[in-house]
């Protein structure tokens, strides 16, 4: 198993303490944005509940938790039937057949009898199906996380934290830019060792994010003098916010325990959620609440692979589907592992040894599929990287290149995906395709981001909700928009003077010689401004014969 040694932990914590002020302020700002978004989502849910429910998890928002999005369906990795095991008599935690019992027997937090905990407890007790979904997602990873928490001599209550954060979903992301099972924002993720590149995002890597969460929680525990509730509050809202609240209470002569602090609504509900889960698990027999059983044995194993490999090939070698492999290794964004590491895969434990044998028998050159590209006029390394869906540094490394110079007529080796990109259905790009294709209104428009574009400006231009626009494109409202990015916009009204009883249909018009935008608009009886807006991403200075334009027509009036 991947281990974070004591020396490594000390070095990591020391590095955290040495983090420069600018970095700390940036992370604090990200946390504050996250809290503000949670509050605004809750307000939207209260004011426009029907519309908001389609866009957000209003139940989570009303409880004060930032709603997360689950962009990938649950993938079950074995066919074991769901059975429910009562949690009754005390047993030796390590020898129990049910992993929940092992956790149950080691829970130590005091659970206060207050309304904040009761409210969260009641919600979980009223939604037993939720725990069924959680258990399905948690089954491959829970034993690994329990072992790591035990190794670090930390409270077993922390094992329940991914339920609160993401419902144990490695693919989950929030509107505050947090991602992964442990919901790290970009800055904190990098601060605690989670690499984030085009190929890979360690926040979604179960191993990297679990190690990062352990390091971060230990750091916070030490910062708040051994108070776990303060540490958990800081994990959610940022250490600066909690420290300031404690300082204010001290100055005012008030108690400084968690329950007395003035914290954001989300944080005030966050800690009670964890305590409620702990309470339900401790009292499972009295609550008549079924926790779907999870075997108390390893389900997965970390396998070292040494270098980059196509995920489709890795799936074939391990005897599981590509979707199953990606579900276990959610950190990999593309069709292959990151060429610069981490060079490891999480595999079903019963498949690990046979995979290692098959990988050892495979020539290193066959780990990726290759094309021999003859350089054409106009080619560049950046163009080739985009064409073959890889990165410039990979092409340079494969071809022993020290710069970006390529010559027309020479041949360059480029790694390419073994299967069609659509086959990698849980890659970042294919998840985005599925997200953008989900219908939210009658008509879909597209917009190519230009320099200076913001979600605010585009939401006003297309008359759509800002957060809806971000969500349709798998983004957070605070994410930067990069020129060239394709956005989808869902609208019911596509024309400026569209009547309520209009029946609008989309058609594709092929530009002919002599056409102009005004002539085409007149032909279809549409406004010139509408035609330009529908095709803004395709229009240049001049129309070209053969060019395809999108036109919306009211079939009742043509």
């Amino acid at each position: 198993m991947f281990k974070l040694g004591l020396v490594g932990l000390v070095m990591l914590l020391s590095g955290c303490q040495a983090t420069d002020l600018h970095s700390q302020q940036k992370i604090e700002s990200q946390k504050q944005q996250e809290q503000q978004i949670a509050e605004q989502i809750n307000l939207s849910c209260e004011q426009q509940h029907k519309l908001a429910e389609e866009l957000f998890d209003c139940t989570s928002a009303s409880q004060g938790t930032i709603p997360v999005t689950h962009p990938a369906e649950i993938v079950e990795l074995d066919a074991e039937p769901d059975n429910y095991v009562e949690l009754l008599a005390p047993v030796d935690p390590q020898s129990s057949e049910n992993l929940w019992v092992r956790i149950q027997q080691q829970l130590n937090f005091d659970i206060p009898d207050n309304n904040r905990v009761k409210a969260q407890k009641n919600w979980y007790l009223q939604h037993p199906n939720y725990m069924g979904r959680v258990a399905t997602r948690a089954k491959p990873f829970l034993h690994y996380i329990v072992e790591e928490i035990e190794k670090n001599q930390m409270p077993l209550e922390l094992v329940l934290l991914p339920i609160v954060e993401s419902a144990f979903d490695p693919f989950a992301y929030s509107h505050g830019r947090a991602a992964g099972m442990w919901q790290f924002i970009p800055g904190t993720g990098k601060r605690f060792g989670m690499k984030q590149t085009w190929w890979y995002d360690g926040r979604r890597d179960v191993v990297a994010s679990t190690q990062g969460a352990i390091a971060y929680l230990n750091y916070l525990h030490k910062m708040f003098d051994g108070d776990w509730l303060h540490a958990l509050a800081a994990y959610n809202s940022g250490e600066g916010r909690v420290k300031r609240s404690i300082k204010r209470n001290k100055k005012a002569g008030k108690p400084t325990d968690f329950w007395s602090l003035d914290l954001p609504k989300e944080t005030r509900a966050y800690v009670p959620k964890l305590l409620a889960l702990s309470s339900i698990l401790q009292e499972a027999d009295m609550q008549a609440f079924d926790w779907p059983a999870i075997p108390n044995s390893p389900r997965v194993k970390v396998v070292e692979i040494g270098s980059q490999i196509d995920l489709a090939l890795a799936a074939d070698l391990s005897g599981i589907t590509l979707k199953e492999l990606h579900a276990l290794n959610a950190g990999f964004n593309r069709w292959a592992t990151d060429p610069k590491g981490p060079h490891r895969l999480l595999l079903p434990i019963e498949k690990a040894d046979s995979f290692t044998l098959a990988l050892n028998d495979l020539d290193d050159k066959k780990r990726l599929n290759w094309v021999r590209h003859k350089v054409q006029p106009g080619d560049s390394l950046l163009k080739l990287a985009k064409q073959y869906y890889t990165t410039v540094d990979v092409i340079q490394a494969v071809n022993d290149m020290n710069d970006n110079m390529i010559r027309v007529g020479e041949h360059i080796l480029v790694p390419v995906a073994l299967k069609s990109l659509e086959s990698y259905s849980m890659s970042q790009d294919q998840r985005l395709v599925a997200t953008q294709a989900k219908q939210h209104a009658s008509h879909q428009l597209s917009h190519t981001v230009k320099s200076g574009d913001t979600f605010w400006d585009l939401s006003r231009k297309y008359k759509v909700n800002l957060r809806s626009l971000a969500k349709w494109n798998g983004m957070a409202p605070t994410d930067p928009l990069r020129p060239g990015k394709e956005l989808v916009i869902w609208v019911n009204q596509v024309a400026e003077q569209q009547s309520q009883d209009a029946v609008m249909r989309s058609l594709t018009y092929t530009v002919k010689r002599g056409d102009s935008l005004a002539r085409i608009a007149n032909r279809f009886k549409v406004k010139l401004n509408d035609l330009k807006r529908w095709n803004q991403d395709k229009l240049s200075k001049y129309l070209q014969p053969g060019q395809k334009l999108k036109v919306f027509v009211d079939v009742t009036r043509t």
Side-chain angles (χ1 to χ4, degrees), residues 172-183:
Y173 68 91
S174 79
H175 297 277
R177 298 186 70 199
M181 182 183 293
W182 294 93
Q183 286 291 285

Side-chain angles (χ1 to χ4, degrees), residues 309 313 317 357-367:
I309 189 171
L313 175 60
L317 293 177
L357 289 173
L359 187 64
N360 289 340
D361 288 340
L362 185 72
D363 189 313
D364 284 350
K365 293 179 181 178
K366 294 183 179 180
R367 286 173 170 239

Side-chain angles (χ1 to χ4, degrees), residues 306-319:
S307 62
Q308 188 179 31
I309 189 171
D310 189 307
L311 292 174
L313 175 60
D316 290 342
L317 293 177
S318 60

Side-chain angles (χ1 to χ4, degrees), residues 4-36:
L4 183 68
L6 182 59
V7 174
L9 179 59
V10 171
M11 290 177 66
L12 184 53
L13 295 182
S14 299
C16 294
Q17 292 167 341
T19 302
D20 64 298
L21 181 61
H22 176 72
S23 177
Q24 291 277 17
Q25 289 173 338
K26 185 176 180 181
I27 292 170
E28 190 76 17
S29 174
Q30 289 176 339
K31 284 285 188 182
Q32 288 175 358
Q33 285 180 337
E34 195 176 47
Q35 298 286 347
Q36 290 166 1

